[in-house]
Amino acid sequence: AATLGIMNSGAAYMPIDPALPDQRIAELLDDGRVKTILTTPDLQARLAGISAAHVVALTEDGVAPPDLLARSRASAGGIAYVIFTSGSTGKPKGVVIDHRGAVNTIEDVNDTLSIGPADRVLSVSSLSFDLSVYDFFGILAAGGTLVLPHHERRLDPAHWAELVIEHKVTLWNSVPALCGLLIEHCERSARSLPGLRHTMLSGDWIPVTLPQRIKAACPGARVRSLGGATEASIWSIWYPIEQVDPAWTSIPYGYPMRNQSIHVLDHRMEEAPAWVTGALYIGGAGLALAYWGDQELTDKAFVHHPRTGERLYRTGDLGRRGADGVIEFLGRQDQQVKVQGFRIELGEIEAAIRKHPAIADVVVVCKGERHAEKRLGAFYCVQPGESLDSGALRSFLLAQLPPYMVPHTLRALERLPLSSNGKVERKLLPDLDSAPLQATLHVDPRDGLEEAVGALWRELLALPRVSVLADFFQVGGDSMFAIKMLGALRSRFDCAVELKHVFQHPTIASQAELIRAIQNTNSTTPEESHACR
């Protein structure tokens, strides 16, 4: 309701996830020069305490009448939304998209996939992730229905499956990792989703085995890969995945979408020949207007072709064009990575770690096979005479960054390996998996609750035994396993544990202590019963 109201008033919306730490929310509101915050009554006091902007709490009585939709004051060239993405300088950068660019993408998808009033989409992406732009405005523009998961179960694939069946959802739109969780649930529960017509996957590498698994669990669904950048109105390129060639090492990136162009350019800004690797540039109707309040960064990323004069966005990606015109994605030129579909600049994490007074130096890395789940790691050195364990540093980072940006492994080194010119020699850094476990001795569960939590760990991570003091991220856990652990803890103990809690309490002992504290609080203070369902 808030988003639709903002758009139809002619203003632009800037989504902020309430799960972010207060410090990061305050910075985003300040950088965005936000005048008015629309929120829910339970968040009103919190926001008033961290921002001077006018806070308006939406209630049922405050929803605008339906005829507002017929009197929109939005213009084609006006700003539709500003979404902040990770920035290499340590500050997020706001991408400014106009209505014309977003509508061009939306209409292409709706026309090509024949989306209409009978279609329904389950929106599993946060408003601050631009896949939600299609979920909200694409499906409603076609007269279809938007289905939203319950807030407390928004990361629960069992809940997603229930909603897909109950509400006859026909369209799935997410990053591959979340779709993989849905399909894994279907496989384990022997459940099928025959009502799905289309599955749209974007934002990260698609495992070559996933499309066939989707078709097995969703026999009526057609699978489509999409790609692009937030700076180019959600998507700019796509590819219908019919049959996966056994020889493929990756899913083809595809062809440009309507009124958009994809260029593979060499160092002279000339089109690279077929099968020759070049830099990927996006052109056409979807390009962002600018980076919010940063003309220098805008001029660096949005350039003009020296011969044609066409305005292009420099994606920082590498690719090549096959003889048939299909583009293959080959990775990044810089240190930007993708985790759960979120773009992350490693430099932003390094900047956050350097804010800790005990830190002398740090380097953040991303490990993992090109097409597999990525693991973030940080190697850090402390100031002389200081000490800083990984648990304290993780808590420090969770106060600044969203959980998906907090490195899974935090390892202290006496010094970072340097090259002859004084730069960090990343190739000489230790392997993340070689980091010593925090708990050197095995400690068995000491009560029934630790045993129950430990059983979830053993099943999830396929471990025969695990110490109650072992760190989740040092025994095989990563971002996607954290989401699975979240669902398992919620289901087993009927408590509204949050994703950040898995990062803040990374041992069996600490998770059991957290659950016990929530249960005790709930039993003694009924007014806080929201902590458990």
Side-chain angles (χ1 to χ4, degrees):
T3 308
L4 291 172
I6 292 170
M7 295 284 270
N8 283 282
S9 73
Y13 79 93
M14 193 188 94
I16 295 182
D17 191 335
L20 293 176
D22 286 359
Q23 178 180 334
R24 192 172 181 88
I25 291 176
E27 291 172 353
L28 291 175
L29 291 171
D30 183 59
D31 289 345
R33 300 197 291 275
V34 171
K35 295 180 179 179
T36 303
I37 303 172
L38 294 182
T39 188
T40 54
D42 59 322
L43 292 173
Q44 186 173 16
R46 174 189 172 195
L47 288 166
I50 62 177
S51 173
H54 179 50
V55 181
V56 176
L58 289 181
T59 64
E60 290 296 329
D61 296 335
V63 176
D67 63 355
L68 174 65
L69 296 175
R71 297 184 283 111
S72 173
R73 291 187 288 276
S75 63
I79 301 175
Y81 59 85
V82 177
I83 286 182
F84 278 83
T85 67
S86 183
S88 58
T89 62
K91 289 189 63 176
K93 52 192 178 186
V95 180
V96 183
I97 298 293
D98 65 1
H99 289 271
R100 182 183 290 110
V103 168
N104 177 72
T105 303
I106 284 170
E107 289 191 341
D108 191 7
V109 173
N110 286 350
D111 291 348
T112 302
L113 303 187
S114 300
I115 304 300
D119 283 297
R120 299 182 175 195
V121 65
L122 176 64
S123 183
V124 296
S125 297
S126 162
L127 264 178
S128 55
F129 192 25
D130 65 346
L131 297 193
S132 67
V133 176
Y134 178 80
D135 290 346
F136 274 59
F137 301 104
I139 197 70
L140 296 181
T145 302
L146 174 67
V147 181
L148 296 172
H150 191 284
H151 176 70
E152 290 187 351
R153 299 187 66 190
R154 65 194 181 280
L155 294 175
D156 182 354
H159 181 50
W160 301 340
E162 293 165 2
L163 293 176
V164 169
I165 294 172
E166 178 183 355
H167 296 286
K168 299 180 174 60
V169 169
T170 61
L171 180 63
W172 178 273
N173 172 35
S174 80
V175 297
L178 295 189
C179 185
L181 289 178
L182 174 70
I183 299 306
E184 181 180 330
H185 168 77
C186 290
E187 292 168 343
R188 296 180 64 176
S189 60
R191 170 180 270 173
S192 66
L193 306 174
L196 279 178
R197 293 201 309 123
H198 295 287
T199 300
M200 302 196 300
L201 305 176
S202 61
D204 209 344
W205 295 98
I206 301 173
V208 291
T209 58
L210 183 58
Q212 291 307 120
R213 293 173 60 207
I214 292 172
K215 292 178 181 181
C218 315
R222 305 194 69 174
V223 184
R224 186 172 287 260
S225 162
L226 299 94
T230 301
E231 287 86 346
S233 300
I234 322 172
W235 305 297
S236 302
I237 189 170
W238 55 2
Y239 185 83
I241 308 171
E242 301 298 340
Q243 294 295 323
V244 176
D245 188 324
W248 286 356
T249 57
S250 64
I251 301 297
Y253 210 33
Y255 307 91
M257 297 177 67
R258 181 192 300 172
N259 299 322
Q260 302 194 66
S261 60
I262 304 292
H263 301 267
V264 183
L265 304 181
D266 62 20
H267 66 283
R268 299 168 299 177
M269 295 286 285
E270 295 289 344
E271 293 286 343
W275 301 116
V276 175
T277 299
L280 295 183
Y281 289 75
I282 300 174
L287 293 192
L289 298 179
Y291 285 117
W292 180 257
D294 196 329
Q295 190 59 49
E296 181 180 352
L297 187 60
T298 300
D299 293 340
K300 183 177 179 181
F302 294 88
V303 299
H304 288 84
H305 194 283
R307 286 194 300 101
T308 66
E310 180 184 8
R311 185 170 181 256
L312 302 172
Y313 168 62
R314 190 198 313 266
T315 66
D317 298 325
L318 296 172
R320 63 183 180 181
R321 193 185 304 273
D324 57 359
V326 176
I327 290 176
E328 179 184 1
F329 184 83
L330 297 175
R332 294 288 302 176
Q333 293 176 300
D334 54 21
Q335 292 188 27
Q336 185 184 108
V337 298
K338 286 283 187 77
V339 175
Q340 297 178 36
F342 289 98
R343 280 166 43 179
I344 296 175
E345 295 281 0
L346 299 183
E348 183 174 0
I349 303 176
E350 291 174 351
I353 293 175
R354 286 193 176 97
K355 291 180 181 178
H356 195 290
I359 293 292
D361 204 356
V362 63
V363 61
V364 175
V365 298
C366 183
K367 299 292 185 179
E369 294 298 321
R370 188 172 70 167
H371 307 139
E373 172 67 14
K374 304 298 188 295
R375 291 176 59 83
L376 293 172
F379 297 95
Y380 64 94
C381 305
V382 298
Q383 300 283 359
E386 297 283 353
S387 62
L388 179 64
D389 64 39
S390 61
L393 182 54
R394 181 176 286 125
S395 297
F396 176 78
L397 292 177
L398 283 166
Q400 302 181 65
L401 303 172
Y404 65 82
M405 291 185 69
V406 176
H408 309 122
T409 300
L410 297 165
R411 184 175 178 185
L413 298 178
E414 289 188 11
R415 64 183 65 86
L416 299 178
L418 301 178
S419 65
S420 57
N421 59 9
K423 293 185 178 180
V424 175
E425 194 67 77
R426 291 173 177 267
K427 293 181 180 179
L428 298 181
L429 289 167
D431 189 87
L432 290 180
D433 294 331
S434 69
L437 297 178
Q438 289 182 346
T440 56
L441 297 177
H442 180 85
V443 177
D444 287 321
R446 294 160 295 192
D447 57 37
L449 187 53
E450 287 188 351
E451 173 57 40
V453 175
L456 296 179
W457 279 48
R458 293 193 297 273
E459 177 183 1
L460 182 65
L461 299 172
L463 297 173
R465 66 198 293 260
V466 58
S467 170
V468 298
L469 299 181
D471 187 290
F472 179 75
F473 298 104
Q474 291 185 354
V475 294
D478 56 28
S479 298
M480 295 313 299
F481 275 119
I483 292 177
K484 294 178 183 179
M485 177 60 69
L486 173 68
L489 292 173
R490 283 174 172 271
S491 176
R492 173 64 177 81
F493 301 105
D494 202 31
C495 286
V497 182
E498 297 181 29
L499 184 59
K500 66 180 180 181
H501 291 146
V502 179
F503 287 79
Q504 292 171 332
H505 305 272
T507 67
I508 293 172
S510 60
Q511 288 180 4
E513 184 180 349
L514 170 68
I515 292 168
R516 186 177 291 110
I518 292 176
Q519 292 174 337
N520 290 341
T521 300
N522 185 49
S523 63
T524 56
T525 55
E527 67 273 14
E528 296 186 15
S529 61
H530 64 276
C532 290
R533 297 191 303 278

